[in-house]
Amino acid sequence: MTLATKITVARIFLIVPTVVFYIVGMLEEAVQLPFLIVSCVLFAILCSTDFVDGHIARKTNTVSALGKFLDPLADKIVIVVMLFLIVYFHGFELFPYDGLVIALLGGLILTRELTVSVFRAVAASKGLVLAADIYGKIKTVLLDIGTAFLILAGVNTVIMWIGEIVFYAGAVLTVWSGVRYLVKNKHVLADVTARNAAKESDAADGGAAEAAADGGGKEER
């Protein structure tokens, strides 16, 4: 296992104390503030070190398939788990049913990430490398900041409002950047369609040629 992969694995294990401190902080009012702060700090470390393992892998020329798989997995797990817990523990006040909206947006964000991941896998299977979108990076920063504030939402109403607003901005940009990314790289799927059409065309031409040859043979007899 390379150094970069070890760092990625360490980040995944760090999710556990992040979640535990948050749950205990929400359940035990006596330790709520310090435990939520620790959870928020751990979450911030998870998010801010996202680039470290990838940078080390490229710098040391030790990019691995396992690392490529685990790195985005760590980011998705911590966001999804924390959003689930935040919605479960909080009664939001920005507008009616905003907790439900956050839950639905969380599902939409996960759907977007899975779709883009599958899309990249299709591109990789064809030897295509798709450049990262700057809007995708911006939405990640907004979602991370919004979620960090929402972790501390139980401490102060103003913090909760800031977290919700930033999170909504990140969620909207997540959907928009996902659609933009797919449209921008639609040639990946178009190429697959073209190849299938070409194969069908070749098969049809081959069948017609065989039929003509058979017909010619019968006439000669």
Side-chain angles (χ1 to χ4, degrees):
M1 186 181 293
T2 65
L3 174 61
T5 303
K6 290 179 180 178
I7 294 175
T8 303
V9 172
R11 291 178 61 234
I12 293 177
F13 278 109
L14 192 61
I15 295 173
V16 176
T18 303
V19 170
V20 171
F21 273 102
Y22 180 79
I23 293 176
V24 175
M26 293 304 298
L27 292 177
E28 300 294 333
E29 189 174 350
V31 296
Q32 184 182 69
L33 180 58
F35 273 53
L36 291 184
I37 290 177
V38 171
S39 178
C40 184
V41 170
L42 291 176
F43 177 81
I45 292 174
L46 274 167
C47 297
S48 60
T49 55
D50 178 29
F51 70 94
V52 174
D53 42 11
H55 176 73
I56 291 177
R58 290 188 295 271
K59 196 75 173 179
T60 58
N61 196 27
T62 55
V63 178
S64 65
L66 180 61
K68 289 182 179 180
F69 170 74
L70 292 178
D71 185 40
L73 184 65
D75 306 328
K76 307 305 179 291
I77 289 176
V78 68
I79 286 290
V80 171
V81 172
M82 292 310 301
L83 284 178
F84 174 82
L85 293 173
I86 287 168
V87 171
Y88 178 79
F89 281 109
H90 280 292
F92 294 94
E93 303 174 358
L94 190 58
F95 59 85
Y97 305 111
D98 51 350
L100 176 61
V101 173
I102 289 179
L104 292 174
L105 288 176
L108 195 59
I109 290 169
L110 180 60
T111 300
R112 183 266 191 197
E113 298 299 340
L114 290 174
T115 301
V116 171
S117 296
V118 172
F119 193 79
R120 285 174 177 166
V122 173
S125 68
K126 300 172 56 181
L128 299 175
V129 179
L130 303 182
D133 196 318
I134 183 63
Y135 297 103
K137 296 180 180 179
I138 295 174
K139 65 87 179 170
T140 299
V141 173
L142 289 176
L143 289 178
D144 290 345
I145 293 175
T147 304
F149 271 92
L150 289 176
I151 290 174
L152 298 174
V155 177
N156 184 277
T157 303
V158 175
I159 293 177
M160 178 179 67
W161 280 43
I162 294 174
E164 284 199 59
I165 293 172
V166 175
F167 177 79
Y168 289 142
V172 171
L173 188 57
T174 296
V175 176
W176 184 79
S177 65
V179 173
R180 183 178 182 275
Y181 185 83
L182 296 179
V183 172
K184 179 182 177 181
N185 298 291
K186 61 184 179 180
H187 61 277
V188 173
L189 299 181
D191 187 50
V192 172
T193 304
R195 286 188 177 181
N196 290 337
K199 288 181 179 179
E200 292 177 0
S201 177
D202 291 342
D205 292 343
E210 289 179 3
D214 292 340
K218 290 178 181 178
E219 289 178 1
E220 288 176 2
R221 293 190 192 97

